[in-house]
Amino acid sequence: MPTIWNLTYLMLESVIHYRRAFAYLEMTDKNYTFCPNALEWEKVNDISSFLGCFYRATCAFSGTKYLTVNLYFPVVALIYVNLKQELVSEDGYRRLMASQMISKFEKYWSEFSLVLAIAVVLGPHYKLRLVKYFYTKNYGAESQECENVTKTLTKLFMEYSASTTSSSTVVQPQEDSDLEKDFLALDGVNADAQKTQLELYLDEPKYLDKNMTFYILSFWKGNEFRYPEVAAMARDILSIPISTIASESIFSIGGHVIDQYRSSLKPDIIEVDNEEVDVLTLDSISSCDIRSSFGK
């Protein structure tokens, strides 16, 4: 179905599930002559696997009962990796499909906000490791893109740190005594070399407990006194929704397809329709202004 592409994926998944049933039907029913051969089954598996990453991404982004901003970068970066792999596929149909898709994909990939990558760093499971992994996978070990994420993250943290410091009461520290200076020198402690909250958070071992249900908001609520500035940054970034439309609207492009009747309209008729819409809009605005002027 050209306008509801997710049904194509779901039908392929159902067909693969009942593959043995089709083979049995071919052996028991002589009238059944439409069973795919081994090569066709292989193509079905490949196309289903290719469409699967898009289907899972769309379902993840359209969720309403969980955070979605921290899912964007790993899911979309994985799609980019899959598209690049399909460009060198032995199947000509998949190569053609991937080449047409990646030209559009790279346009949006090059313009996406680095805040969406920073959202992944704020997850204790991944931090900077996942960002570095995908950028290395897509651009090589010396990619400038990963460096841009690190610089943007540091700059954003410094802004939050400055705003937190300015809003709180600053107590001027007393000058260290000679005994304290000797102790600090002996212990190798230098006040200027103290790490920031962001550096301390990134240097901590990543969260590895996969058996427990993990909620990223609960993690930052429990660590807001430990890393108050990073927690404030996480509170604002993790509240960004990736999508505000239902998954049905994403999957179906039927409403965006112009049928034969609408596409046959002449330019002058379309212009008249647009003028009528403008007039109706102006009338409604004028009536609202009049009613508000008289307090009705």
Side-chain angles (χ1 to χ4, degrees):
M1 302 183 70
T3 60
I4 310 179
W5 63 267
N6 66 310
L7 294 184
T8 302
Y9 166 74
L10 294 175
M11 286 188 290
L12 290 177
E13 284 291 290
S14 299
V15 168
I16 294 172
H17 180 73
Y18 292 105
R19 177 176 179 176
R20 296 177 61 184
F22 284 108
Y24 179 78
L25 183 62
E26 183 185 29
M27 291 186 298
T28 57
D29 188 353
K30 296 181 179 180
N31 295 322
Y32 179 69
T33 58
F34 303 103
C35 186
N37 55 40
L39 181 60
E40 291 172 335
W41 277 118
E42 184 178 353
K43 289 185 177 180
V44 168
N45 276 308
D46 292 339
I47 295 176
S48 177
S49 176
F50 179 66
L51 293 178
C53 63
F54 296 95
Y55 178 81
R56 290 187 290 272
T58 309
C59 290
F61 292 162
S62 59
T64 57
K65 296 184 178 180
Y66 53 85
L67 296 177
T68 55
V69 64
N70 58 323
L71 302 177
Y72 178 87
F73 181 83
V75 171
V76 176
L78 181 61
I79 290 176
Y80 197 15
V81 172
N82 290 336
L83 285 175
K84 285 191 169 183
Q85 291 176 349
E86 293 299 329
L87 288 176
V88 294
S89 172
E90 297 179 355
D91 189 348
Y93 175 75
R94 285 159 52 196
R95 281 201 311 272
L96 177 61
M97 183 168 55
S99 63
Q100 293 174 346
M101 296 175 68
I102 200 168
S103 60
K104 297 181 179 180
F105 178 89
E106 287 181 336
K107 175 182 180 295
Y108 294 98
W109 174 260
S110 62
E111 297 176 356
F112 95 101
S113 176
L114 292 180
V115 173
L116 300 174
I118 292 175
V120 182
V121 181
L122 295 173
H125 285 100
Y126 303 124
K127 299 186 178 180
L128 277 171
R129 297 176 181 86
L130 189 68
V131 176
K132 291 179 179 179
Y133 170 78
F134 276 117
Y135 275 131
T136 302
K137 198 82 172 174
N138 288 319
Y139 298 105
E142 303 297 330
S143 64
Q144 183 63 32
E145 286 76 7
C146 186
E147 187 67 22
N148 293 337
V149 174
T150 305
K151 290 181 179 178
T152 305
L153 173 63
T154 305
K155 183 179 178 180
L156 184 62
F157 170 77
M158 295 305 294
E159 292 180 2
Y160 272 87
S161 180
S163 62
T164 303
T165 304
S166 61
S167 61
S168 59
T169 303
V170 179
V171 180
Q172 295 295 334
Q174 297 180 354
E175 186 177 354
D176 294 335
S177 63
D178 293 337
L179 182 62
E180 289 173 334
K181 290 179 180 179
D182 292 340
F183 171 75
L184 293 176
L186 179 65
D187 201 38
V189 177
N190 188 351
D192 296 333
Q194 293 275 339
K195 291 185 176 181
T196 64
Q197 293 181 18
L198 178 62
E199 291 171 335
L200 291 173
Y201 163 70
L202 294 176
D203 289 343
E204 277 192 344
K206 63 179 182 179
Y207 192 85
L208 293 175
D209 193 352
K210 298 181 179 180
N211 297 323
M212 295 179 59
T213 302
F214 178 77
Y215 299 100
I216 188 170
L217 292 181
S218 299
F219 171 84
W220 283 113
K221 184 174 178 61
N223 288 273
E224 62 179 339
F225 297 107
R226 189 179 182 189
Y227 307 115
E229 296 163 3
V230 185
M233 186 170 64
R235 178 192 60 203
D236 293 339
I237 292 177
L238 295 176
S239 62
I240 302 173
I242 291 299
S243 176
T244 57
I245 61 177
S247 59
E248 292 80 4
S249 301
I250 302 174
F251 287 129
S252 177
I253 61 172
H256 304 288
V257 177
I258 300 178
D259 57 27
Q260 58 179 338
Y261 303 105
R262 295 172 62 191
S263 62
S264 63
L265 292 176
K266 296 181 179 180
D268 55 343
I269 297 178
I270 296 177
E271 184 176 356
V272 170
D273 289 340
N274 291 333
E275 289 177 356
E276 289 179 353
V277 172
D278 293 339
V279 170
L280 289 174
T281 304
L282 290 173
D283 289 343
S284 62
I285 294 174
S286 300
S287 61
C288 290
D289 292 341
I290 293 171
R291 285 197 297 270
S292 61
S293 300
F294 287 95
K296 294 182 179 181

